[in-house]
Amino acid sequence: MHRRTALSVSAAALLAAAPLLTACGSDAHPGAAAVVGGQRIDVSSLQAQVEDVRAAQQASPQSATLLRETGDLSRQKLHDMIFDRVVDKVAKDNGVSATRGEIQQTRGEFARQSGGEEQMAAVLLQQRGVAPDQIDAVARRAVLMNKIAAKLGVTDTPEGQKKLTEAFSQASKDLRIDVNPRYGSWDNDKITLAAYTAPWVRQISKAPAAGA
């Protein structure tokens, strides 16, 4: 049995569309919500993710509660979109990748721990603002985070978490992340959107809590 790292899959708890903006920090990036490593994250792409979540929320029996509790969904989704690119950078730097089979295996583990696909989807929507067609992205993050942790020799200790955070902080700095001021600013040390508070490691890499 392999040693479980802090990033191992386990059962744990992982709004309105933003207006079209005309700049990202400066006039150099019109229509961008952020620029990461020289690559744009367009406002239209961000809005599409927000709209996917809103549609899923509206179809839920708990729609009123979900809509009320996710008023900052635009920042939450932008955080995730930027963080994905930071994960990709760290994964590339450490020579790891996620196969389709690994993503589906991890998704299956999420579902089993949550009590099935339907329950998993409901909990991810409620806890993390994840639409059904965005679940594979959550599973992919978990695969990459676990592989990165293993490659770096990270253990479930404060020292291990510090080592992991340092690797992500450096990658974040290397990507020179420029966020449209409408959404806040990116914090390279905390690896998060400054206007959006999220426990970045545990939020991204863990399965939803069953029955939550």
Side-chain angles (χ1 to χ4, degrees):
M1 179 179 297
H2 64 279
R3 180 176 58 187
R4 176 175 293 182
T5 72
L7 280 285
S8 297
V9 176
S10 63
L14 239 66
L15 124 254
L20 182 64
L21 302 176
T22 59
C24 178
S26 70
D27 293 335
H29 309 298
V35 177
V36 184
Q39 300 298 311
R40 295 161 53 96
I41 296 177
D42 290 331
V43 171
S44 58
S45 298
L46 173 60
Q47 288 177 322
Q49 290 227 358
V50 171
E51 289 166 4
D52 280 349
V53 175
R54 287 301 187 206
Q57 289 175 332
Q58 289 168 352
S60 169
Q62 292 81 39
S63 59
T65 300
L66 292 174
L67 291 167
R68 183 175 64 251
E69 292 180 351
T70 53
D72 206 18
L73 185 58
S74 293
R75 286 188 176 90
Q76 179 180 345
K77 300 312 290 185
L78 181 57
H79 168 275
D80 290 350
M81 294 171 80
I82 295 172
F83 185 76
D84 276 342
R85 299 193 182 192
V86 178
V87 172
D88 286 345
K89 165 72 172 166
V90 180
K92 182 177 180 181
D93 289 347
N94 286 278
V96 300
S97 61
T99 68
R100 182 64 181 170
E102 289 168 336
I103 293 169
Q104 290 306 303
Q105 181 180 4
T106 298
R107 177 174 177 147
E109 182 64 19
F110 284 2
R112 283 190 294 275
Q113 294 182 18
S114 301
E117 280 275 340
E118 185 175 346
Q119 177 68 5
M120 173 187 67
V123 173
L124 283 172
L125 181 64
Q126 177 184 4
Q127 293 183 355
R128 307 189 201 175
V130 174
D133 63 356
Q134 297 168 0
I135 294 174
D136 277 359
V138 175
R140 180 177 180 274
R141 289 172 209 150
V143 172
L144 289 176
M145 293 288 287
N146 284 327
K147 286 190 172 186
I148 291 167
K151 188 67 176 289
L152 294 176
V154 172
T155 57
D156 193 6
T157 63
E159 292 77 14
Q161 291 297 318
K162 180 180 178 182
K163 184 176 183 179
L164 191 66
T165 299
E166 287 174 347
F168 274 75
S169 178
Q170 184 58 56
S172 183
K173 292 173 184 176
D174 291 344
L175 289 170
R176 299 181 180 276
I177 298 166
D178 178 19
V179 176
N180 188 313
R182 168 65 178 80
Y183 301 101
S185 60
W186 187 258
D187 189 322
N188 289 319
D189 294 323
K190 296 181 179 179
I191 313 101
T192 190
L193 195 60
Y196 169 65
T197 302
W200 64 274
V201 172
R202 297 189 183 280
Q203 182 201 26
I204 296 297
S205 65
K206 301 243 183 140

